[in-house]
Amino acid sequence: MLLIIKKETKVAKVVTFANVKGGSGKSTLCINMAAILIREGYSVALIDADQQKCSQDWITGTRDKLLSRIEIIDQAEFIASENVDVDFLLIDTQGSLTKEMAQFLFQSSLIITPCRVSRDDIVGQGWIEVFLKQSNRDIKKAPILTVLNGVNKRSSILSHVIEQLKEDGVQVAKTCISQRVCFAETNVNKISVIGYNKPATEEIVDLTNEALKLIRSEA
């Protein structure tokens, strides 16, 4: 069951998926969390700020009834207006800290940093933390939720990485996303995992609930 946020306004809650390291799973989490939100009755738009346009291609080529209801927004249009008439705007960024990504981070209600259990991914996640902490912008900064992605939950290295991140003051999601073939299969077929694989669906629902609770607590 998904946590429901009361719909009081159409000012979009902006969720940005960011990690300086490419290949951390930003697009996969972005697409599947969007599908969950759509299933629960929210209106959702997506900006694909990656030059490869993986998320945009995933949606425009889909026959998935959930994904087909996601509105694609041009990033230049959003940067100019800073508002979209939907409940949630999800932003899939590229694997580098660009000027445009910096602006997305500052406009976010929540920043999700997918992170595989590798040194490069953890370093890439850390740059997002450092950038916001060192920013001199006099605005309320969005919370960052680090999501361990593509993991083996029985691996001892996973618990070690989680402990280390927490010791460094990083907010780590309780929900870890397992390494599953279904994520690659649904990417190829341009559908979501929702209804395709039950354990994967449950993990995405749990992660989305964590994100919604953080957004609600910061409102």
Side-chain angles (χ1 to χ4, degrees), residues 59-97:
I59 292 171
T60 55
T62 191
R63 293 183 180 178
D64 187 306
K65 291 182 180 179
L66 296 174
L67 298 185
S68 63
R69 290 162 56 190
I70 299 171
E71 180 183 359
I72 298 293
I73 301 292
D74 181 79
Q75 68 181 75
E77 178 184 339
F78 173 68
I79 290 173
S81 66
E82 298 188 3
N83 188 32
V84 179
D85 188 27
V86 293
D87 297 313
F88 287 93
L89 172 63
L90 275 55
I91 303 177
D92 183 13
T93 63
Q94 67 184 62
S96 60
L97 191 55

Side-chain angles (χ1 to χ4, degrees), residues 5-213:
I5 289 183
K6 186 177 179 181
K7 301 178 184 181
E8 298 176 343
T9 177
K10 273 289 188 178
V11 176
K13 299 294 185 182
V14 179
V15 181
T16 300
F17 295 77
N19 189 321
V20 173
K21 166 71 167 54
S24 60
K26 296 185 292 291
S27 298
T28 298
L29 290 188
C30 181
I31 289 290
N32 284 290
M33 289 181 68
I36 287 291
L37 291 168
I38 288 285
R39 188 183 73 171
E40 297 304 316
Y42 292 106
S43 56
V44 178
L46 183 143
I47 291 175
D48 190 343
D50 192 329
Q51 293 179 346
Q52 295 179 352
K53 299 299 179 186
C54 176
S55 292
Q56 183 170 316
D57 290 344
W58 197 333
I59 292 171
T60 55
T62 191
R63 293 183 180 178
D64 187 306
K65 291 182 180 179
L66 296 174
L67 298 185
S68 63
R69 290 162 56 190
I70 299 171
E71 180 183 359
I72 298 293
I73 301 292
D74 181 79
Q75 68 181 75
E77 178 184 339
F78 173 68
I79 290 173
S81 66
E82 298 188 3
N83 188 32
V84 179
D85 188 27
V86 293
D87 297 313
F88 287 93
L89 172 63
L90 275 55
I91 303 177
D92 183 13
T93 63
Q94 67 184 62
S96 60
L97 191 55
T98 63
K99 179 182 178 181
E100 290 76 18
M101 187 171 90
Q103 186 160 354
F104 291 141
L105 294 177
F106 287 117
Q107 292 172 284
S108 297
S109 306
L110 174 66
I111 299 163
I112 292 179
T113 56
C115 186
R116 298 188 185 276
V117 183
S118 75
R119 181 183 180 279
D120 289 344
D121 280 56
I122 292 169
V123 169
Q125 176 275 340
W127 277 112
I128 303 298
E129 298 266 358
V130 168
F131 175 78
L132 286 180
K133 287 178 180 177
Q134 293 185 348
S135 169
N136 293 322
R137 291 203 181 189
D138 187 23
I139 61 172
K140 182 179 179 181
K141 298 179 178 64
I144 301 175
L145 182 65
T146 295
V147 179
L148 276 301
N149 185 43
V151 305
N152 178 351
K153 293 183 179 180
R154 293 176 290 183
S155 170
S156 59
I157 189 64
L158 174 60
S159 57
H160 173 74
V161 168
I162 291 173
E163 289 176 8
Q164 185 61 59
L165 287 170
K166 288 183 176 179
E167 286 179 7
D168 293 340
V170 175
Q171 183 170 209
V172 181
K174 295 178 181 178
T175 305
C176 296
I177 305 300
S178 301
Q179 184 173 7
R180 300 182 190 276
V181 174
C182 67
F183 286 113
E185 292 173 342
T186 51
N187 178 295
V188 170
N189 294 320
K190 296 185 177 181
I191 60 176
S192 72
V193 297
I194 313 308
Y196 183 86
N197 182 281
K198 184 177 180 180
T201 299
E202 291 173 349
E203 287 181 346
I204 296 296
V205 168
D206 289 343
L207 179 60
T208 305
N209 267 325
E210 284 196 60
L212 293 180
K213 287 178 183 177

